[in-house]
Amino acid sequence: MARRTFFSFHYQEDVWRCWNVRNCLVVSKDQEAQGFFDGSVFEASKKEGDEALKTFLRNGLNNTSVTCVLAGHYTAGRRWVRYEIVRSVLKGNGLLTVDIHGVRNNDKQLGVKGTNPLDQVGLYLANGKILFAEVKGGKWVRYEDYTLAIPAADLWFDAPTSDTVVPLSKHCMRYDFAARQGQHRWLDRNGGRPGWPLEMHS
């Protein structure tokens, strides 16, 4: 079964780096990519309003089983990257972060390592409901772009058991693309969802 990967990233800042990483990661017939949108389409959706853009991003996740967050200097704070992460959890996609600061941009410049975006989104238990949270101003607050409760059965990791926010990074891998020279391997999770990125090997 083909493993279709959705790539989440900060378009304006990192698109050049992301295209290069994407071309290295998607190397075989059983690895396909989603999530590389034409910039003009993305901007047009934003102009139509938040709900139109949310629909656009949700549709982009269709038929994917893994979400790879390509993290640059500013990615962690981007609203729509966080939305893609949240919708990936709701969809049941496997998640991982790939740091891309070591990849040169179109001006041949290296980037600065940023915060792991999966450190900035998490889950907590409040009044018997599992809810999303995000970091704003250095503090955890309730996530505003999706406010419904999440059934514990819908999660592929242990559900939170208290009002202490558990960041998604606790359950997901982080991988430095340049340090590992872009070498990787996707492995399926035994008995789990297809396309789960369990290990990445040199």
Side-chain angles (χ1 to χ4, degrees):
M1 181 176 180
R3 293 182 278 279
R4 296 176 66 86
T5 303
F6 181 91
F7 290 94
S8 179
F9 58 96
H10 179 188
Y11 190 92
Q12 293 86 348
E13 181 74 16
D14 294 318
V15 66
W16 181 275
R17 293 187 175 99
C18 293
W19 270 111
N20 283 290
V21 171
R22 180 262 190 198
N23 290 338
C24 290
L25 291 179
V26 183
V27 295
S28 68
K29 63 182 180 182
D30 67 340
Q31 295 171 3
E32 301 178 29
Q34 295 289 99
F36 271 78
F37 306 123
D38 180 272
S40 62
V41 177
F42 186 87
E43 292 301 323
S45 296
K46 284 202 297 186
K47 290 178 182 178
E48 292 178 14
D50 288 355
E51 291 308 312
L53 183 52
K54 288 178 180 180
T55 299
F56 173 73
L57 297 176
R58 289 197 303 271
N59 289 341
L61 281 160
N62 287 343
N63 303 315
T64 66
S65 57
V66 177
T67 296
C68 177
V69 184
L70 300 175
H73 191 188
Y74 303 108
T75 311
R78 301 299 293 179
R79 176 184 179 185
W80 298 116
V81 168
R82 292 184 178 189
Y83 185 74
E84 290 165 343
I85 290 169
V86 166
R87 296 305 310 197
S88 295
V89 172
L90 293 169
K91 187 177 178 299
N93 277 22
L95 272 169
L96 78 160
T97 298
V98 174
D99 289 304
I100 59 171
H101 62 284
V103 179
R104 296 185 185 276
N105 63 12
N106 56 324
D107 294 321
K108 309 300 182 184
Q109 297 173 333
L110 295 174
V112 176
K113 187 173 183 177
T115 300
N116 185 352
L118 301 182
D119 282 340
Q120 305 292 294
V121 181
L123 293 167
Y124 67 105
L125 187 67
N127 299 318
K129 297 180 179 179
I130 300 171
L131 302 170
F132 282 106
E134 63 179 326
V135 174
K136 282 192 173 181
K139 298 181 179 180
W140 285 108
V141 298
R142 186 170 177 177
Y143 183 67
E144 297 178 351
D145 282 314
Y146 186 89
T147 58
L148 300 178
I150 306 101
D154 288 354
L155 299 174
W156 41 256
F157 49 82
D158 292 336
T161 57
S162 73
D163 60 1
T164 299
V165 178
V166 180
L168 295 177
S169 57
K170 178 179 179 181
H171 309 288
C172 306
M173 296 180 62
R174 186 177 189 179
Y175 164 68
D176 188 315
F177 185 82
R180 299 289 292 278
Q181 299 178 326
Q183 296 174 326
H184 73 292
R185 182 174 69 179
W186 301 113
L187 295 180
D188 288 337
R189 178 174 182 252
N190 292 333
R193 305 179 193 279
W196 181 272
L198 272 186
E199 299 183 20
M200 305 185 82
H201 298 281
S202 298

